[in-house]
Amino acid sequence: MMRLLRVLASLPILACLTATAATAQQNATAATALQNEDAQANNPLAQTKTVSFQNLYVGDLTGVDTDANQFYLRAALPFQLFGGNWLMRATLPVNTLPTGPSLSHETGVGDFNIFAAYLFDTGNPNISFGVGPQLTAPTATNSELGSEKWSAGLANVLFNATNPKFQWGYLLTWQASFAGPDSADDVNSGAFQPFLFYQLGEGWYLRSTAIWTYNFENDNYMIPLGLGVGKVTVTDRAVINTFIEPQYTLESSGTGMPEWSVFAGINFQF
């Protein structure tokens, strides 16, 4: 009888220990899921609908001693085609640029860009790799706010989120003009954007995403470096990602290249 009582008395303790272990496992699972959401919030190939409002303020341009600004309205949409998974990203800029001999600022819509990347099966859900075509349309409201040319090329994206603390990747693009007025300069340019993200916890992270560019027509180029901070907030309706990233150009060649800039924005993943 005493042995039975001791067994019965121990049941609440065992139940408590079991519940505690289960709660700890649930908490660990929830924490891992949250870490994954924080990491995927910066994945340009994430299979989610995304709307972004981003702004690049350029404090000083080489050779002209004035500033400029570019506001980007961006949207990304996953879709299926030819039996595979794709991701489309479209960008419409609103540019404020110095124009004419007086370098007076002109504001208007810039050239519309869109690319679609085919997402390869890497065998690891935390590694995303995509390649596809891109197209730029001459939608600028002023000839000095865009290229006046139709351009086409390729886009290649890699994002590695295998480490919950540190994620990295890149966006590599190239495009060349194929139509437009002869009076406008031809387009033949490439861009390389490295992604570096370090998770600080509770949704906060450090980031570096400045875009390197090279103009194959005149050999102008720039190599900037950025260091900023962001915050990921998970809600019932969306994952919200806000950030600000000052950038400084380490090396450049040509007139009108940014000497320093501030990139900021807010992204919504649905």
Side-chain angles (χ1 to χ4, degrees), residues 147 149-151 175-178 185-189 215 217:
S147 67
K149 294 279 193 176
W150 286 88
S151 299
Q175 61 179 338
S177 55
F178 63 89
D185 293 336
D186 289 334
V187 174
N188 188 358
S189 62
N215 188 326
E217 289 291 321

Side-chain angles (χ1 to χ4, degrees), residues 108-130:
V109 173
D111 290 345
F112 174 78
N113 174 267
I114 185 171
F115 75 75
Y118 174 78
L119 306 181
F120 290 86
D121 183 2
T122 65
N124 186 334
N126 291 313
I127 298 179
S128 304
F129 183 82

